Amino acid sequence: MFQKRTDLALEVHELHGNESGITVQELKKGGFNVTVAEVSNGKGEEVSGKRAGKYITVEMGKIWQKDKDVFERVAKLISEEIQSLLPEKDGCVLVAGLGNEEITPDSLGPRVVKKLLVTRHIQAIDRELFVDAGFGCVAALSPGVLGQTGIESSEIIKSVCNSVRPKCVIVIDSLASRRLNRLASTVQISDVGISPGSGVSNRRPELDESTLGAPVISIGVPTVVDAATLAYDLLEEHSGKEDEGFAEVIERVLVGSGKDMFVTPKENDVIARETAKLLACAINMAVHRMEIKEINEFID
Amino acid sequence: MFQKRTDLALEVHELHGNESGITVQELKKGGFNVTVAEVSNGKGEEVSGKRAGKYITVEMGKIWQKDKDVFERVAKLISEEIQSLLPEKDGCVLVAGLGNEEITPDSLGPRVVKKLLVTRHIQAIDRELFVDAGFGCVAALSPGVLGQTGIESSEIIKSVCNSVRPKCVIVIDSLASRRLNRLASTVQISDVGISPGSGVSNRRPELDESTLGAPVISIGVPTVVDAATLAYDLLEEHSGKEDEGFAEVIERVLVGSGKDMFVTPKENDVIARETAKLLACAINMAVHRMEIKEINEFID
Amino acid sequence: MFQKRTDLALEVHELHGNESGITVQELKKGGFNVTVAEVSNGKGEEVSGKRAGKYITVEMGKIWQKDKDVFERVAKLISEEIQSLLPEKDGCVLVAGLGNEEITPDSLGPRVVKKLLVTRHIQAIDRELFVDAGFGCVAALSPGVLGQTGIESSEIIKSVCNSVRPKCVIVIDSLASRRLNRLASTVQISDVGISPGSGVSNRRPELDESTLGAPVISIGVPTVVDAATLAYDLLEEHSGKEDEGFAEVIERVLVGSGKDMFVTPKENDVIARETAKLLACAINMAVHRMEIKEINEFID
Amino acid sequence: MFQKRTDLALEVHELHGNESGITVQELKKGGFNVTVAEVSNGKGEEVSGKRAGKYITVEMGKIWQKDKDVFERVAKLISEEIQSLLPEKDGCVLVAGLGNEEITPDSLGPRVVKKLLVTRHIQAIDRELFVDAGFGCVAALSPGVLGQTGIESSEIIKSVCNSVRPKCVIVIDSLASRRLNRLASTVQISDVGISPGSGVSNRRPELDESTLGAPVISIGVPTVVDAATLAYDLLEEHSGKEDEGFAEVIERVLVGSGKDMFVTPKENDVIARETAKLLACAINMAVHRMEIKEINEFID
């Protein structure tokens, strides 16, 4: 249960430096740091160990402690980045919220889905109302987790895509970060696809345009750090060198590999609630092409 | 939202009497009344206005007020009826829990899914453990409701069936009854398929063997009565005749057709909890072919 | 479980007409009908069968279908009515949310409590922050229902009042209405106290200034109609006269007194969510004396 | 939010060794290790830094992975230990479930409360039924957390005790452990009282016989480890000595004191569910003096 998924691209970049095949732009948008990393086919993938594509990271700080003005500016910024990746053509957007609602820091995906302005069925029932309101077409799904359904979430998403034939799939996920200070304070948006249940790896993502027949935008927020990752960083920082029998120490203290434990902030209920609100707001704005005030008319 | 689904076959029978093409057996099993109605192709369908197939109704009484012994006997009885409809061959059973978790009397399906012993993924991970434990293969899904997903629940179930290729699909649903005294006190099991979102009708069920590629067992418990239905019954009982301008009176008192209102017992939280437990228990026993005590080892 | 509480004062007025000892003002505020009924001591109580005090009813229509502008105007209006009943002096406001979270139409109280800007503890921890932000002092509690706690909710509220010593207690409750068209479309605010678990009656409210040591503002929204009440109205409307053996008919059709059944709209999940948001917003504005925009900065 | 409470007595003992004023018995009961530590007044308190009283620790292992037989034996064992601390006299037991339902590893208390066989109100309504069934008298309460209510949970419990006048108060809490391998695998039962919101300390417990007028049995299960605690242990284990500038390293890596982070197992949803079931079962058996099979008749 609760396998942590896809690490942050920004962190991969950190580990490998800026090399050929990887372009990194650091921008300031609306007062926030935005990093856009592009990994080229071939060379870029080889060097970075990441799939070719675009990785956008928005550093928003502790959004759950910020006032409404900051919240709205971040939502708008994220919304614009999502919009830049959305295909221009007609069709529906399918939003898939990965994760387990019963584990607070893994609940981001299902929470976002609950706050979306879903419209695909309205279009079918009352085309006129739909067009007048200026809605985009949105369907949404929380596929649950393997332990609850017996079915891989990627299998469910693929199946539903086969039927719904969306123009684009947006996948929301909680991420594991390498750094505590990233927790809940960055949002990563990418167009490279995603492998639910996997960590950082170069293997083909299970969910991408080739498997879903539609481009995939994945949106992730780091909500936990693996206990083992934290332990390594601590020991390295302390001893000033790399692995010196760290594995053994960690084995003794963490009782096993520590891969079954995670570290998370004590206020993770508030973080989950606020971050879900933020992402839902940004997606609603991007897909329905509305201002935040208009969106709020429809949404809880 | 919360469209009530498929009426009770038993009630259809009530309305039409026992005629050619319909066979009705009234049995006593384990101290409970069990009615098995079979509607034949052609004649039976025409007379009853119901699809050809088997309709089993178990009258269990107010199960949520009964002691553990009664609970276990009813669970076993329902389990046997389900088992009698399960294909003998190898393969997985997919359980789909229809309904809206946020409306208490519509929450039966999703509640049952949460209490199932799901095993399909264990089989994949650890074949040996799976075989040793004697598990059947079960996957489960709550497709949500149209207003939350923008996708018909039948569309989601069909899509997932295409991928999972189950040997059989069990669909759980809350039903609308015609009679208050049936509420939560009968369970209906049928092999004719189901149309989520429809009422009584003779049209082709959206979910049946022809659309899913696997036989469908639908299990329903009446949890509400339409306010309009109740109103008609009241006026008929009072005036001793059929419709005498009833529609107008109802229009005035129910403010509209009354189709948007339902009647339900005040203790419907307890009813939903206990009924979900009962059905989950019966399905677990049927599919894993275990005794109630063994099942309880694995289930909450 | 789920005993319906305190009927609507407006309806009592309806039943008895406008007589001496009862003053009824029908106002138009911000485009909404507001009825202010005042029952005098002695005569008024005798005539109306209701406790002396002020009963304010705001008719807001189907608020859950309205746009944001209407929502905000109703919230402001309710907020002002609450403010008019709040004592001017220093001290905290204790908000008590009555009802059972697990029964959708009874969940209003607990839902409101979850959306309040609670501040009493901040005052204690960081007086300066508290004063700078201009907060009022708010504590909040959902006492649960008798079947869950074994303790009357009024007993819990009284106990906590003894310790917290608030300047005022606001009690939120779901009400039973006599009329379907009132469901979720009126808000009643009163200063006469409340007896959780009781219906209309002239007996001393369990929760009022004399028992709590602080004035009580009760806020209620009708979310259900008793099935028996509805049945009487139907039969009366149809036969054009009062009770003609109605009780017997109802007994037969409703299986018992029908007191154990209620009628509620199918979309009661949306209604519960939106109404809770409305009342929480109004209370937050009234107690913290802030505009809706400021309040939204702090609240989900 | 989510302040971790009262460390484990067993761990305090570990730190200080077995000295005068502290008696430690290590027993084997039903195949499980049970440690009974008694801290005497004066000397024992001084040496241990813990309040005088009895500390019982049951080591049950990973109960959420065990079969039903182990579950029932552990439940019985815990039930007996609770029973040994219950006053023999007539009267009700008030169970208070501390913690925040929305943070998975802090949700133990409220989850236990939901699974109790609450009877205090039945006694009042139907004395005969109550006596015939052989029930004990139980009331239960989840006071919520400071951030939700603005009221200290101890203040709410004290207030309600003043009114309910129980013969004994059982307080359930999630604990912070010093050791990862203790997580969710030990249960500690104590009669010394408890200070919600505090850590290990010798100060007067806020909730004990002197403040509540009834003896207090506190039951805790460690569900998290502070990230800072874990970090110290790791560095100590690695460097083989005590604090060598650890604080600085931790400050850098944990970004602040690490007091705002906790470590918890990934399967903490399953752990919370199973542990709540275990404790509820044990309390139900102890208070109603029933066998596990009888209890199951009444409980979900």
Side-chain angles (χ1 to χ4, degrees):
Chain A
M1 2 216 114
F2 193 43
Q3 293 175 282
K4 288 319 302 171
R5 287 166 292 258
T6 53
D7 229 317
L8 289 176
L10 186 68
E11 296 177 350
V12 174
H13 160 63
E14 235 174 36
L15 298 174
H16 296 275
N18 201 348
E19 301 186 48
S20 67
I22 311 178
T23 324
V24 178
Q25 274 182 288
E26 308 212 346
L27 311 166
K28 202 91 187 177
K29 289 189 181 182
F32 301 96
N33 293 325
V34 178
T35 308
V36 182
E38 295 202 59
V39 173
S40 71
N41 281 306
K43 184 68 181 171
E45 291 187 296
E46 198 184 299
V47 166
S48 69
K50 290 288 277 185
R51 298 277 306 163
K54 208 169 178 177
Y55 299 87
I56 302 163
T57 307
V58 177
E59 290 173 49
M60 60 190 178
K62 299 193 168 184
I63 191 72
W64 66 97
Q65 297 174 349
K66 298 293 165 58
D67 66 21
K68 187 157 183 147
D69 173 58
V70 174
F71 181 93
E72 291 193 353
R73 281 190 293 128
V74 174
K76 195 168 168 48
L77 174 51
I78 296 172
S79 157
E80 286 164 1
E81 299 299 337
I82 295 170
Q83 228 171 66
S84 76
L85 298 176
L86 278 177
E88 291 272 343
K89 65 180 175 180
D90 275 0
C92 278
V93 173
L94 174 66
V95 183
L98 302 182
N100 185 346
E101 242 190 302
E102 291 186 47
I103 298 181
T104 317
D106 197 33
S107 63
L108 185 60
R111 283 176 192 251
V112 169
V113 162
K114 285 197 174 163
K115 290 182 172 294
L116 292 176
L117 177 50
V118 165
T119 54
R120 181 173 173 266
H121 59 305
I122 299 174
Q123 190 179 24
I125 297 162
D126 186 343
R127 178 85 206 171
E128 215 161 314
L129 165 70
F130 185 82
V131 171
D132 286 358
F135 289 142
C137 174
V138 177
L141 189 75
S142 290
V145 292
L146 189 58
Q148 295 165 345
T149 62
I151 313 171
E152 291 284 358
S153 53
S154 58
E155 194 175 349
I156 295 176
I157 295 169
K158 271 185 245 173
S159 309
V160 172
C161 271
N162 269 340
S163 167
V164 169
R165 299 269 170 222
K167 71 169 178 181
C168 175
V169 180
I170 298 179
V171 182
I172 315 294
D173 201 4
S174 309
L175 306 177
S177 173
R178 273 193 60 76
R179 302 264 174 246
L180 284 177
N181 63 351
R182 294 259 166 68
L183 286 186
S185 63
T186 64
V187 173
Q188 173 167 314
I189 305 157
S190 168
D191 66 358
V192 296
I194 183 175
S195 285
S198 83
V200 192
S201 91
N202 197 22
R203 71 184 173 94
R204 179 139 220 94
E206 283 173 61
L207 299 177
D208 66 4
E209 188 153 8
S210 74
T211 59
L212 296 184
V216 173
I217 302 173
S218 59
I219 305 178
V221 175
T223 58
V224 298
V225 171
D226 259 334
T229 302
L230 177 70
Y232 270 99
D233 286 354
L234 268 167
L235 295 178
E236 205 172 298
E237 180 78 23
H238 183 249
S239 58
K241 344 177 193 168
E242 275 186 40
D243 201 331
E244 294 264 314
F246 291 173
E248 260 178 68
V249 172
I250 290 170
E251 177 86 17
R252 280 198 301 276
V253 176
L254 292 193
V255 204
S257 68
K259 292 260 175 240
D260 301 331
M261 301 277 168
F262 65 82
V263 184
T264 189
K266 283 181 186 172
E267 61 204 315
N268 67 22
D269 58 332
V270 178
I271 292 173
R273 208 158 52 222
E274 286 302 304
T275 312
K277 211 171 122 191
L278 179 76
L279 295 190
C281 190
I283 295 172
N284 281 328
M285 285 197 284
V287 178
H288 300 300
R289 301 198 172 247
M290 290 180 174
E291 289 304 301
I292 202 160
K293 259 156 226 165
E294 292 171 272
I295 280 300
N296 281 339
E297 290 210 11
F298 299 102
I299 289 297
D300 186 20
Chain B
M1 2 217 113
F2 193 42
Q3 291 174 283
K4 287 319 304 170
R5 287 167 292 257
T6 54
D7 229 316
L8 290 177
L10 185 68
E11 296 176 350
V12 174
H13 160 64
E14 234 172 38
L15 297 173
H16 296 274
N18 201 346
E19 301 186 49
S20 69
I22 310 178
T23 325
V24 178
Q25 274 182 287
E26 307 212 345
L27 311 167
K28 202 92 186 176
K29 289 190 181 182
F32 302 96
N33 294 325
V34 178
T35 309
V36 182
E38 296 203 59
V39 173
S40 71
N41 282 308
K43 184 69 179 171
E45 290 186 297
E46 198 184 299
V47 166
S48 68
K50 288 290 278 184
R51 298 274 307 160
K54 207 169 180 178
Y55 300 86
I56 303 163
T57 306
V58 177
E59 291 173 47
M60 59 189 178
K62 301 193 167 183
I63 191 72
W64 67 97
Q65 297 174 349
K66 298 295 164 56
D67 67 20
K68 186 156 185 151
D69 174 57
V70 174
F71 181 93
E72 292 193 354
R73 281 189 295 129
V74 175
K76 194 166 169 50
L77 175 50
I78 297 171
S79 156
E80 286 164 1
E81 300 299 338
I82 295 170
Q83 226 170 69
S84 76
L85 299 175
L86 278 176
E88 291 272 342
K89 65 179 175 181
D90 275 359
C92 278
V93 174
L94 175 66
V95 183
L98 301 181
N100 185 347
E101 241 190 303
E102 292 186 47
I103 298 180
T104 316
D106 197 33
S107 63
L108 186 60
R111 282 175 193 252
V112 169
V113 162
K114 285 199 175 163
K115 289 182 173 295
L116 292 176
L117 178 49
V118 165
T119 54
R120 181 174 173 265
H121 59 305
I122 300 175
Q123 191 180 22
I125 296 163
D126 186 342
R127 180 83 206 170
E128 217 162 313
L129 165 70
F130 185 81
V131 171
D132 285 359
F135 289 143
C137 174
V138 177
L141 190 74
S142 290
V145 293
L146 190 58
Q148 296 164 345
T149 62
I151 313 170
E152 290 284 359
S153 53
S154 58
E155 193 176 349
I156 295 177
I157 295 169
K158 270 185 246 174
S159 308
V160 172
C161 272
N162 268 341
S163 166
V164 169
R165 299 268 170 224
K167 71 169 179 182
C168 176
V169 179
I170 298 178
V171 182
I172 315 294
D173 202 4
S174 309
L175 306 175
S177 174
R178 273 191 60 75
R179 301 268 175 243
L180 283 178
N181 64 352
R182 293 260 167 68
L183 286 186
S185 63
T186 64
V187 173
Q188 175 168 312
I189 305 157
S190 169
D191 66 359
V192 296
I194 182 175
S195 286
S198 83
V200 193
S201 93
N202 197 21
R203 70 181 172 96
R204 178 138 221 95
E206 283 173 60
L207 299 177
D208 67 2
E209 187 152 7
S210 74
T211 59
L212 296 185
V216 172
I217 302 172
S218 59
I219 305 178
V221 176
T223 59
V224 298
V225 171
D226 258 336
T229 303
L230 177 71
Y232 270 98
D233 286 354
L234 269 167
L235 295 177
E236 206 173 297
E237 181 77 23
H238 183 248
S239 59
K241 342 174 198 173
E242 276 187 40
D243 201 331
E244 293 266 314
F246 291 174
E248 260 177 66
V249 172
I250 290 171
E251 178 85 17
R252 281 199 301 277
V253 176
L254 291 193
V255 204
S257 68
K259 291 260 176 242
D260 302 330
M261 302 276 170
F262 64 83
V263 184
T264 188
K266 285 181 185 170
E267 62 204 313
N268 67 23
D269 59 330
V270 179
I271 292 173
R273 208 158 50 222
E274 285 302 304
T275 313
K277 209 171 121 191
L278 179 76
L279 295 190
C281 189
I283 296 172
N284 282 327
M285 284 197 285
V287 178
H288 300 299
R289 302 199 172 246
M290 289 178 175
E291 289 304 301
I292 200 161
K293 259 156 225 166
E294 293 170 90
I295 280 300
N296 281 338
E297 291 211 8
F298 299 103
I299 289 296
D300 187 20
Chain C
M1 3 215 115
F2 193 42
Q3 291 175 282
K4 290 318 306 170
R5 287 166 291 259
T6 53
D7 229 315
L8 290 176
L10 186 68
E11 296 177 349
V12 174
H13 159 64
E14 233 172 38
L15 298 173
H16 295 274
N18 202 347
E19 302 186 47
S20 68
I22 310 178
T23 325
V24 178
Q25 276 183 288
E26 308 213 345
L27 310 166
K28 201 92 186 177
K29 289 191 180 179
F32 303 96
N33 293 325
V34 179
T35 309
V36 182
E38 296 202 58
V39 173
S40 71
N41 281 308
K43 183 70 181 171
E45 291 187 296
E46 198 183 299
V47 166
S48 67
K50 289 288 278 185
R51 297 277 306 164
K54 207 170 182 178
Y55 300 86
I56 303 164
T57 307
V58 177
E59 290 174 48
M60 60 188 178
K62 298 192 170 186
I63 191 73
W64 65 98
Q65 298 173 349
K66 298 293 166 57
D67 66 21
K68 186 155 183 151
D69 175 57
V70 174
F71 182 94
E72 291 193 353
R73 281 190 294 129
V74 175
K76 196 167 166 51
L77 175 51
I78 297 172
S79 156
E80 286 164 0
E81 299 299 338
I82 295 170
Q83 225 169 70
S84 77
L85 298 176
L86 278 177
E88 291 272 342
K89 65 179 174 179
D90 275 359
C92 278
V93 173
L94 175 66
V95 183
L98 300 182
N100 185 347
E101 243 190 303
E102 293 186 46
I103 298 180
T104 316
D106 196 34
S107 63
L108 185 59
R111 283 176 192 252
V112 169
V113 162
K114 284 199 175 162
K115 289 182 173 295
L116 292 176
L117 178 50
V118 165
T119 54
R120 182 173 172 265
H121 58 305
I122 299 173
Q123 189 180 24
I125 296 163
D126 187 343
R127 180 84 206 171
E128 217 162 313
L129 165 71
F130 185 83
V131 171
D132 286 358
F135 289 142
C137 174
V138 177
L141 189 75
S142 289
V145 292
L146 190 58
Q148 296 164 345
T149 62
I151 313 171
E152 291 284 358
S153 54
S154 59
E155 194 176 348
I156 295 176
I157 295 169
K158 270 185 245 173
S159 308
V160 172
C161 272
N162 267 340
S163 167
V164 168
R165 299 267 169 225
K167 71 171 177 179
C168 176
V169 180
I170 298 179
V171 181
I172 315 294
D173 202 3
S174 310
L175 305 177
S177 173
R178 273 192 60 77
R179 302 267 174 244
L180 283 177
N181 63 352
R182 293 260 168 69
L183 286 187
S185 63
T186 64
V187 173
Q188 174 168 314
I189 305 157
S190 168
D191 66 357
V192 297
I194 183 174
S195 285
S198 84
V200 193
S201 92
N202 197 21
R203 71 181 173 94
R204 178 139 222 95
E206 282 173 62
L207 299 178
D208 67 2
E209 187 154 6
S210 74
T211 59
L212 295 184
V216 173
I217 302 173
S218 59
I219 305 178
V221 175
T223 58
V224 298
V225 170
D226 258 335
T229 302
L230 176 71
Y232 269 98
D233 286 354
L234 268 166
L235 296 177
E236 204 172 297
E237 181 77 23
H238 182 247
S239 58
K241 343 177 195 167
E242 275 187 41
D243 200 331
E244 293 265 316
F246 292 173
E248 262 178 65
V249 173
I250 290 170
E251 176 87 17
R252 280 199 301 277
V253 176
L254 292 193
V255 204
S257 67
K259 292 258 177 243
D260 302 329
M261 303 276 169
F262 64 83
V263 184
T264 189
K266 283 182 187 172
E267 62 205 311
N268 67 23
D269 58 330
V270 178
I271 293 173
R273 209 159 47 224
E274 285 303 304
T275 312
K277 209 170 121 191
L278 179 76
L279 294 190
C281 190
I283 295 172
N284 281 327
M285 284 197 285
V287 177
H288 300 299
R289 304 198 169 244
M290 289 180 176
E291 289 305 301
I292 200 161
K293 259 156 226 164
E294 293 170 89
I295 280 300
N296 281 339
E297 290 210 11
F298 299 102
I299 288 296
D300 187 18
Chain D
M1 2 216 113
F2 193 42
Q3 292 175 281
K4 289 317 305 171
R5 288 166 290 258
T6 54
D7 229 317
L8 290 176
L10 186 67
E11 295 176 350
V12 173
H13 160 63
E14 235 173 36
L15 297 173
H16 296 275
N18 202 347
E19 302 186 47
S20 68
I22 311 177
T23 325
V24 178
Q25 274 183 288
E26 308 213 344
L27 311 166
K28 202 92 187 176
K29 288 190 181 182
F32 302 96
N33 293 325
V34 178
T35 308
V36 182
E38 296 203 59
V39 173
S40 70
N41 281 307
K43 184 68 182 172
E45 292 187 296
E46 197 184 300
V47 166
S48 67
K50 290 288 277 184
R51 297 278 306 164
K54 208 169 180 177
Y55 300 87
I56 302 164
T57 308
V58 176
E59 291 173 47
M60 61 189 177
K62 299 190 169 186
I63 192 71
W64 66 98
Q65 298 174 348
K66 298 295 164 56
D67 66 21
K68 189 160 180 146
D69 174 57
V70 173
F71 181 93
E72 293 193 353
R73 282 190 293 129
V74 175
K76 196 167 166 50
L77 175 50
I78 297 171
S79 155
E80 287 164 1
E81 299 299 338
I82 295 169
Q83 226 170 69
S84 77
L85 299 176
L86 279 176
E88 292 273 341
K89 64 180 175 180
D90 275 0
C92 279
V93 173
L94 174 66
V95 183
L98 302 182
N100 185 346
E101 243 189 303
E102 292 187 46
I103 298 180
T104 317
D106 197 34
S107 63
L108 185 59
R111 284 176 192 252
V112 169
V113 161
K114 284 197 174 163
K115 289 182 172 294
L116 292 176
L117 178 50
V118 165
T119 54
R120 180 171 173 266
H121 58 305
I122 300 174
Q123 190 180 23
I125 298 163
D126 187 341
R127 178 84 207 171
E128 216 161 314
L129 165 69
F130 185 83
V131 171
D132 285 359
F135 290 142
C137 173
V138 177
L141 189 76
S142 289
V145 292
L146 190 58
Q148 297 164 344
T149 61
I151 313 171
E152 291 284 359
S153 52
S154 58
E155 194 175 348
I156 295 177
I157 295 169
K158 270 184 246 175
S159 309
V160 172
C161 271
N162 268 342
S163 166
V164 168
R165 299 267 169 223
K167 72 169 178 182
C168 175
V169 180
I170 298 178
V171 181
I172 316 293
D173 201 5
S174 309
L175 306 177
S177 173
R178 273 192 60 77
R179 302 267 174 243
L180 284 176
N181 64 351
R182 294 261 166 68
L183 287 186
S185 62
T186 64
V187 173
Q188 174 167 313
I189 304 156
S190 168
D191 66 358
V192 296
I194 182 175
S195 285
S198 83
V200 193
S201 90
N202 197 21
R203 72 184 171 94
R204 177 141 221 95
E206 282 173 61
L207 299 177
D208 67 2
E209 188 152 8
S210 74
T211 59
L212 296 183
V216 173
I217 302 173
S218 60
I219 305 177
V221 175
T223 58
V224 297
V225 171
D226 259 334
T229 303
L230 177 70
Y232 270 99
D233 286 354
L234 268 167
L235 296 178
E236 205 173 297
E237 181 77 22
H238 182 249
S239 58
K241 347 179 191 166
E242 276 187 40
D243 200 331
E244 294 265 315
F246 292 174
E248 264 178 64
V249 172
I250 290 170
E251 176 86 16
R252 281 198 302 276
V253 176
L254 292 192
V255 204
S257 68
K259 291 258 176 244
D260 301 332
M261 302 277 169
F262 64 82
V263 184
T264 189
K266 283 180 186 172
E267 62 205 313
N268 67 23
D269 58 331
V270 179
I271 292 174
R273 208 158 51 223
E274 286 302 304
T275 311
K277 209 171 122 192
L278 179 77
L279 294 191
C281 190
I283 295 172
N284 281 327
M285 285 197 285
V287 178
H288 299 300
R289 303 200 170 244
M290 289 179 174
E291 288 305 301
I292 200 161
K293 259 154 227 168
E294 292 170 272
I295 280 301
N296 282 338
E297 290 210 10
F298 299 101
I299 288 297
D300 187 22

